[in-house]
Amino acid sequence: MKESQHNTTDFGYKTVDREAKASMVADVFHSVAAKYDIMNDLMSFGIHRLWKRQAIACAGVRKGHRVLDLAGGTGDLTAKFSQLVGDTGQVILGDINDSMLKVGRDKLRDLGLVSNIEYVQMNAEALPFPDNSVDVITIAFGLRNVTDKDAALRSMYRILKPGGRLLVLEFSKTDNEALSKLYDFYSFNILPNMGKLVANDSESYRYLAESIRMHPDQETLKGMMENAGFEQTTYQNMTGGIVALHRGFKY
């Protein structure tokens, strides 16, 4: 079922007007921005750092590259890419949410990373860059929040240079029944309470848990990337399939 054929879409388990979803997602991330990093560590027991490290290792980023860290939020991937591309390269930290961008900019400046990073507020469905202008795109834990994922993937394909690659790091589906039950209990019972205690916001974290369940599974996302034009599309499951890293190339 293609999202673009309908006037409604999912917002977690709710069905909402397509035009309203972006602002509803924005409200979630305005709410959680200040506590985003500490909640990531608490929610994943720090494992998110290993997932991101694997994405960085598979990105093939080199000196002189122009990299888009899309939905880059507080800049975990941007920080490493900034070091990898060097003075002759550029990293664009792009996010639809200005609160997240501000947190990311402050964090990266505190790390002394300023010379080769640009901050741009943008919508993944209509990326504000010329065709064939970016070497590598990463989107980590952001695609599931995009209203029209097919449009976003086509937009990413358009701006990649021939030979460029896209990496999508996202929560996915585990086929381990015991792990799935444990994960569901954690997501819908413990996670919202943790959000209430730490970020004073249980509803945003309930949405995040629901949005994970509504995201396409590994094979479906692989097919969506291929429909957008990507070739040699593969994925790697991590932590039993709770997270998957998809990779595709433009030729």
Side-chain angles (χ1 to χ4, degrees), residues 83-101:
Q83 297 168 341
L84 291 172
V85 303
D87 294 338
T88 58
Q90 182 188 40
V91 185
I92 302 153
L93 175 55
D95 204 290
I96 198 170
N97 188 281
D98 63 323
S99 297
M100 295 288 283
L101 274 178

Side-chain angles (χ1 to χ4, degrees), residues 23-44:
S23 65
M24 294 172 76
V25 171
D27 288 343
V28 168
F29 285 94
H30 286 312
S31 174
V32 303
K35 299 285 187 179
Y36 188 76
D37 283 342
I38 189 169
M39 278 297 294
N40 273 354
D41 281 331
L42 290 171
M43 285 190 303
S44 71

Side-chain angles (χ1 to χ4, degrees), residues 153 157 166-168 220-231 233-234 246-248:
L153 290 168
Y157 184 84
L166 165 68
L167 291 100
V168 180
T220 302
L221 180 53
K222 181 175 183 287
M224 290 168 67
M225 290 174 66
E226 289 167 350
N227 288 340
F230 289 97
E231 299 181 44
T233 307
T234 58
H246 283 70
R247 180 166 48 168

Side-chain angles (χ1 to χ4, degrees), residues 14-76:
K14 298 173 186 171
T15 299
V16 300
D17 187 88
R18 291 178 62 79
E19 300 300 319
K21 179 170 177 175
S23 65
M24 294 172 76
V25 171
D27 288 343
V28 168
F29 285 94
H30 286 312
S31 174
V32 303
K35 299 285 187 179
Y36 188 76
D37 283 342
I38 189 169
M39 278 297 294
N40 273 354
D41 281 331
L42 290 171
M43 285 190 303
S44 71
F45 308 101
I47 300 171
H48 76 99
R49 297 176 184 275
L50 300 178
W51 297 331
K52 290 171 181 173
R53 193 177 300 165
Q54 180 64 13
I56 291 163
C58 292
V61 170
R62 302 191 303 273
K63 282 196 182 303
H65 269 175
R66 190 176 192 223
V67 179
L68 171 60
D69 181 15
L70 184 56
T74 58
D76 284 351

Side-chain angles (χ1 to χ4, degrees), residues 5 7 30-31 56 77 80 93 98 114 131-132 134 145 156 197 223 237 239 242 250:
Q5 295 170 345
N7 294 322
H30 286 312
S31 174
I56 291 163
L77 273 67
K80 183 61 178 174
L93 175 55
D98 63 323
V114 291
D131 296 358
N132 310 313
V134 175
N145 297 308
M156 294 178 217
L197 283 170
N237 284 331
T239 316
I242 285 175
K250 176 177 178 176

